[in-house]
Amino acid sequence: MPAIVYVPHPQATPLLGVFVARTLPGAEPPFASAGFYRQLSRFGRREGLEVFVFAADGIDWQRREASGYTYDETEGRWRERRGPLPTVVYDRSFPATRAGWTRCREQLRQLVRTPGVQALGCGLPGKWEVQAMLERDASLRPFLPPTRRLTGPRPLRALLAEEGSAFLKPQGASHGKGALYVRRAAPGPNAASAKEGGGAGQLHEPDAAAAKGGWLVLGRAFDNAPLALQFAGFGELWQWLSGFARGRSYLVQRYLSLHTADGVAFDVRALVQKDGRGRWQTTGTAVRCGQPGSVTSNLHGGGAAADAATFLRRACGEAQADAALRTIAELAARIPPALEAAHGRLAELGLDFGVDREGRVWLLEANSKPGRAAFKQLADREVRARTLANPVRYARFLLQQSAATGPLKPAGQQV
């Protein structure tokens, strides 16, 4: 491998550093989503910014330099280089391990404390903390599913006794990984007891659910593989769940019927971003449909994207669909300022909404590192271009502001 060349950074060309996790060791380049960053590089050049992709292990704090990659359009390939720390940092790190998450978070905090470096935005914490932030705004509460932390078996047992079903999601995972739907299982001679992922262990006394067929668990494992398991009673279910979670924090919610009449799970992704004037705008909306029988609609689980208006009108009828889209548009305008007021500066959000069988809109999740996969599948090239251009334009806005007033550090919670 050729030596990494030090490239002095021209003062006239600010550096937008895309902070990533080195998840593909041995590959060239050693990070995922290279196509996305290649397109960012092209938009960066148009806006007078150079895009530099780097990871935590490439930072030299003593010299205040970083090793990483820039895309060479002439040669059509990524070139490894070393140079000064970026002027603006865009966090797109998705480490594969908990240790990796901890290391990335620590390095980001140190980066934004470095003179001359600022973050495009500070990433949101876990789902429970985000729920608490949103609940501070009374106007948003009606759209938030009631949520409890799963600190022991009692919250889940109580919800199952009351509703007969529940939805569980991990506090920190993404892409639908680890999401579970628990419901009463129909009694029958073929009901099998599950032994995987933590085991059933000793037998438990039968409970009311066992007499009715036990409990069925549908969802996705942490490698996104689908799972379907059945348990004779709640004790057996809880023992398996404790092993499956492996110490991860979980949230429990009432299960919402967020699917079409023929059973296809779906949600509506609204991508909201700051533009070149530092103002929030809704870049686009798209429906994400799960595979038949899937609990989640996430594209990483094999789903597909569709135009939001077209899909909802077909699934819900024109009047109900149009009312839901108006509500989603209003919430997409209100949620980002509410989160910024509680958390600090943000650059973009992926807001996931559910529409239940009665047409009621629910906010399912707010993600500060949203993907673009749903919009890549749609025919609207203008929307696809804006999803890429807005982070670059907002970075240029921050640089223009800092040139006039000094670097703008994210207020509130740290990265």
Side-chain angles (χ1 to χ4, degrees):
M1 179 180 292
I4 302 173
V5 178
Y6 178 82
V7 181
H9 187 55
Q11 197 67 29
T13 309
L15 197 62
L16 172 58
V18 182
F19 185 75
V20 301
R22 197 180 291 265
T23 54
L24 302 174
E28 197 66 27
F31 48 82
S33 302
F36 172 40
Y37 306 135
R38 181 175 63 249
Q39 293 178 73
L40 275 184
S41 297
R42 290 169 178 161
F43 277 102
R45 277 190 290 274
R46 297 177 196 173
E47 300 292 334
L49 299 175
E50 183 178 7
V51 172
F52 174 62
V53 184
F54 71 112
D57 59 5
I59 301 173
D60 184 334
W61 293 109
Q62 194 168 21
R63 296 184 177 182
R64 292 186 60 184
E65 296 174 357
S67 298
Y69 292 80
T70 56
Y71 188 73
D72 189 319
E73 194 70 47
T74 304
E75 297 186 8
R77 67 184 182 93
W78 290 94
R79 294 178 62 88
E80 196 167 3
R81 52 153 285 183
R82 179 168 57 87
L85 292 176
T87 323
V88 179
V89 177
Y90 180 26
D91 178 19
R92 295 296 298 179
S93 58
F94 298 94
T97 65
R98 294 188 202 181
W101 278 107
T102 300
R103 176 167 171 74
C104 283
R105 189 167 58 248
E106 290 171 350
Q107 297 291 295
L108 274 170
R109 286 174 177 167
Q110 189 168 346
L111 271 169
V112 299
R113 288 195 297 262
T114 302
V117 178
Q118 58 181 318
L120 203 64
C122 42
L124 288 170
K127 297 179 177 70
W128 177 251
E129 291 80 7
V130 171
Q131 176 91 3
M133 292 177 193
L134 292 169
E135 286 179 349
R136 297 179 194 176
D137 188 326
S139 69
L140 297 177
R141 287 180 206 146
F143 304 97
L144 304 174
T147 303
R148 296 186 64 182
R149 296 178 73 179
L150 196 63
T151 54
R154 185 173 297 178
L156 178 59
R157 185 191 287 271
L159 187 58
L160 290 175
E162 180 182 350
E163 300 276 349
S165 62
F167 185 72
L168 294 89
K169 59 183 181 182
Q171 155 88 315
S174 58
H175 302 152
K177 296 177 182 177
L180 303 172
Y181 167 39
V182 183
R183 65 170 173 83
R184 293 192 192 280
N190 296 323
S193 174
K195 304 288 184 182
E196 298 93 339
Q202 67 185 62
L203 294 175
H204 299 268
E205 307 96 20
D207 56 20
K212 298 179 180 179
W215 298 106
L216 181 65
V217 178
L218 303 172
R220 293 199 171 273
F222 285 98
D223 61 359
N224 234 333
L227 58 83
L229 304 171
Q230 189 164 332
F231 302 89
F234 182 83
E236 191 175 320
L237 163 64
W238 181 256
Q239 189 167 346
W240 172 83
L241 180 60
S242 300
F244 175 78
R246 296 181 183 176
R248 297 178 178 89
S249 297
Y250 258 79
L251 305 180
V252 59
Q253 299 175 331
R254 180 168 65 88
Y255 177 72
L256 303 171
S257 297
L258 307 177
H259 51 74
T260 62
D262 54 355
V264 175
F266 72 92
D267 66 12
V268 181
R269 160 61 64 91
L271 180 63
V272 289
Q273 299 174 299
K274 284 184 177 173
D275 61 15
R277 295 179 294 174
R279 299 177 182 176
W280 285 106
Q281 63 167 243
T282 299
T283 305
T285 56
V287 161
R288 302 182 301 178
C289 317
Q291 290 185 323
S294 175
V295 174
T296 64
S297 54
N298 198 281
L299 301 185
H300 290 80
D307 176 75
T310 303
F311 181 95
L312 288 175
R313 287 169 184 159
R314 186 172 62 246
C316 311
E318 186 170 347
Q320 195 176 87
D322 290 350
L325 288 168
R326 284 194 299 270
T327 300
I328 288 169
E330 292 169 5
L331 291 172
R334 283 156 47 190
I335 289 168
L339 285 175
E340 281 198 307
H343 172 70
R345 189 170 72 219
L346 296 162
E348 58 185 358
L349 290 167
L351 302 176
D352 297 335
F353 297 96
V355 181
D356 66 21
R357 301 294 294 148
E358 288 71 45
R360 183 171 178 179
V361 173
W362 299 91
L363 174 65
L364 307 178
E365 195 162 325
N367 185 344
S368 57
K369 290 195 260 186
R372 274 82 169 160
F375 300 99
K376 285 178 65 177
Q377 294 187 22
L378 301 184
D380 194 329
R381 293 185 178 181
E382 184 179 343
V383 168
R384 292 205 305 268
R386 286 203 306 268
T387 69
L388 295 159
N390 278 331
V392 175
R393 290 169 179 164
Y394 181 51
R396 187 188 60 181
F397 167 81
L398 290 179
L399 290 168
Q400 290 170 343
Q401 295 295 302
S402 63
T405 62
L408 302 174
K409 295 293 181 180
Q413 187 169 324
Q414 289 186 324
V415 174

